[in-house]
Amino acid sequence: MVSMTTNAGFRAQARAAMAAPRSAAVRRSSPSLVGASESALTTNRKSLYNRNATCRMIGHVDPRPELRSHGPVSCRAASYDYDVCIIGCGVGGHGAALHAVQQGLKTCIIEGHDIGGTCVNRGCVPSKALLAASGRIREMQNEMHLKAMGIQVGSVSFDRQGVADHASQLASNIQGNLKNSLVAIGVDIHVGMAKFVDNHTIAYGLPGRVDVGGQVTAKDVIIATGSVPFVPPGIKIDGKTVFTSDHALKLEWIPEWVAIIGSGYIGLEFSDVYTALGSEVTFIEAVDKIMPGFDNEIARLAQRTLITPRNIDSRTGVLATNVKQGVPGVKPVEIELTDFNTKEVVDVMEVDACLVATGRVPFTQGLSIDKIGAETDRRGFVPVTDKMEVLGKDGKPVPHVYCIGDANGKYMLAHAASAQGISAIENIKGRPHVLNHNSVPAACFTHPEVSFVGLTEEQAREKAEEEKFEVGVVKTSFKANSKALAELEGDGMAKAIFRKDTGEILGVWIIGLHAADLIHEASNAVATNQTIQDLKFNVHAHPTLSEVLDELFKHAEVDPPKQEGAKKSPPAKSAAAAPA
């Protein structure tokens, strides 16, 4: 029998182990435990290896032969170090880890680069810092706009390095916050590039480093490795005159003339930054119009507000088939343009710099998913089910392995990755969950912003043609909104696309002041299966920009349901009158 004093001593040793410093590699147990007898260790296993203690000691195998038979100690199962191992710690991996811990799962993360992934370090976060600074510059340089509000300013200047530092410092701060939030709740962070040994075992390490690495086991594994910029053939990146968004965010110089290959979200946002800082921009787009993924009507208004008034032109229907690097201020960048249809070279442009914004590709190389009977598709994406389960070569889910975010290609947005991570954890917990990707909003943080959820009007009409229903479209303008007029920001509109027979919301698009913040009323309505009639009863503060959507939903008209057969009897007057 072990005395109460011994129990108290073990609890004290456990607390000491919890307070001991930990490395980023595999955690080691407290040396004080090595002296414990096998009897004491067995008797006190439940009290000693509680959830907090295992955060420090999971995976330990006692070196002594007489105790080695106990194997790895886990708070859930003796055969695994962790309940969940997440490969990658971008926004998706971070969101999955938070939800996993909240659900009582012992969790670790393996990250080979930076905590926060692309979004925090080389994407949405630092780009918003550049957009915020350049947006202020643009606003202060608009003398007519300010004069109309009774404001007079002198000449406006900026410090390029100061703007760049603002972006890098923000990324650093957010990265630190994310790491601290994980450590605070007991998530172990292992440093290294991960690869599968089997569907429960992950090995990790860094090239050329013998001091970093190891192997962990987990009941369930989530792949969250994200993506990298896609660079088309014929384009060589030097990071100075020919670069991707990863390099552009450093803002090492401001070219006089920038060609941007691609006019999606990334290209549009950087055109906003560069023109505010004094550059001229030329879009190079393969299809016959810029902003090809936008609703046509929204794209036309964006052309009038984001393109035409600025030093921006475009070359559409052409491919940049060969790009030769230049030297800043000395030698121009040469871009060979080839007709998209005829494949004939039609022109050669000379510009100061070229930003390649042609989308992203999954970062899935080196995972060794063949070890779990799976393979990526021809583009590198990991195929998954609606529940985020990885599909094997036989088309069946690989047990206990999931993939979220850009690596699966379902919807390459940071917040979509986070939502998928939460969905994966729900399925791991045995609560079937499928994310409705049509409810995931998207935004372009230009000035003014563009946001949407669901389908374009063109896509909705194609769907209606196939499924035989009528589409309803309703629109409203920012020019009718008091708050927008007070800001002298009346350029903008919102439109909703819905089924006339049921009121189902098919899509909502907004361009205007703070459009990225306004879209969530619509996206959450889609997520919770509310109809456009339901939204008419929402109350919005006055005067606010949210009233743009208030007016939008109130203008929608849905066809009344058709009466079929005999007239139904009226309902009972009250619940109390109904039979028991």
Side-chain angles (χ1 to χ4, degrees), residues 344-368:
E344 295 180 356
V345 175
V346 293
D347 198 2
V348 175
M349 289 179 59
E350 290 188 350
V351 295
D352 296 299
C354 177
L355 167 61
V356 182
T358 48
R360 303 183 66 84
V361 291
F363 182 63
T364 52
Q365 301 92 333
L367 283 173
S368 298

Side-chain angles (χ1 to χ4, degrees), residues 267-500:
L268 283 173
E269 289 185 355
F270 274 103
S271 76
D272 200 283
V273 171
Y274 278 125
T275 54
L277 300 182
S279 301
E280 295 183 23
V281 169
T282 298
F283 280 117
I284 299 173
E285 179 58 61
V287 298
D288 59 359
K289 63 176 182 178
I290 61 173
M291 297 174 280
F294 283 31
D295 177 274
N296 285 345
E297 187 173 18
I298 297 296
R300 288 194 295 270
L301 182 53
Q303 176 86 34
R304 293 199 297 270
T305 57
L306 299 176
I307 306 298
T308 304
R310 302 176 182 177
N311 291 327
I312 301 176
D313 64 359
S314 61
R315 299 291 300 270
T316 59
V318 293
L319 298 168
T321 48
N322 190 18
V323 178
K324 295 181 180 180
Q325 303 162 0
V327 178
V330 177
K331 179 183 176 183
V333 175
E334 294 183 6
I335 305 175
E336 179 183 87
L337 300 179
T338 299
D339 186 274
F340 181 78
N341 295 314
T342 66
K343 309 304 180 188
E344 295 180 356
V345 175
V346 293
D347 198 2
V348 175
M349 289 179 59
E350 290 188 350
V351 295
D352 296 299
C354 177
L355 167 61
V356 182
T358 48
R360 303 183 66 84
V361 291
F363 182 63
T364 52
Q365 301 92 333
L367 283 173
S368 298
I369 65 171
D370 58 302
K371 296 293 182 64
I372 59 172
E375 62 183 355
T376 60
D377 65 14
R378 61 181 180 81
R379 297 173 298 171
F381 292 111
V382 177
V384 295
T385 68
D386 288 341
K387 295 181 180 180
M388 303 299 133
E389 304 160 303
V390 170
L391 286 171
K393 296 177 184 179
D394 58 0
K396 298 178 182 179
V398 175
H400 302 287
V401 183
Y402 300 77
C403 181
I404 64 172
D406 288 5
N408 70 32
K410 280 186 171 290
Y411 206 163
M412 299 178 76
L413 293 173
H415 49 281
S418 182
Q420 290 175 3
I422 292 170
S423 181
I425 295 297
E426 287 294 297
N427 289 307
I428 285 172
K429 289 293 292 182
R431 298 188 290 261
H433 184 273
V434 174
L435 173 66
N436 177 9
H437 286 86
N438 282 331
S439 71
V440 177
C444 183
F445 294 85
T446 47
H447 296 85
E449 296 172 344
V450 182
S451 64
F452 76 93
V453 64
L455 306 178
T456 66
E457 181 178 343
E458 296 73 37
Q459 291 169 335
R461 294 199 181 279
E462 288 180 10
K463 181 181 176 70
E465 183 68 24
E466 294 174 1
E467 300 180 15
K468 308 302 180 186
F469 64 83
E470 186 179 352
V471 171
V473 177
V474 63
K475 309 169 191 175
T476 189
S477 172
F478 276 64
K479 287 183 172 64
N481 181 267
S482 300
K483 185 65 161 56
L485 294 178
E487 301 271 359
L488 296 181
E489 296 284 357
D491 290 335
M493 68 171 289
K495 69 184 293 187
I497 307 125
F498 58 96
R499 284 185 63 140
K500 288 280 287 182

Side-chain angles (χ1 to χ4, degrees), residues 488-556:
L488 296 181
E489 296 284 357
D491 290 335
M493 68 171 289
K495 69 184 293 187
I497 307 125
F498 58 96
R499 284 185 63 140
K500 288 280 287 182
D501 54 349
T502 64
E504 176 189 355
I505 301 169
L506 301 175
V508 174
W509 285 76
I510 310 171
I511 178 172
L513 186 65
H514 295 302
D517 300 314
L518 297 176
I519 194 61
H520 298 97
E521 182 175 5
S523 63
N524 289 332
V526 175
T528 54
N529 296 314
Q530 295 182 72
T531 66
I532 204 159
Q533 303 100 298
D534 296 328
L535 300 183
K536 292 184 178 185
F537 297 95
N538 291 355
V539 179
H540 302 75
H542 175 78
T544 62
L545 294 171
S546 68
E547 291 175 293
V548 171
L549 290 186
D550 186 34
E551 292 299 317
L552 182 71
F553 299 139
K554 282 182 167 60
H555 288 160

Side-chain angles (χ1 to χ4, degrees), residues 161-172:
Q161 189 59 53
V163 174
D165 290 346
H166 172 52
S168 62
Q169 187 60 52
L170 177 65
S172 178

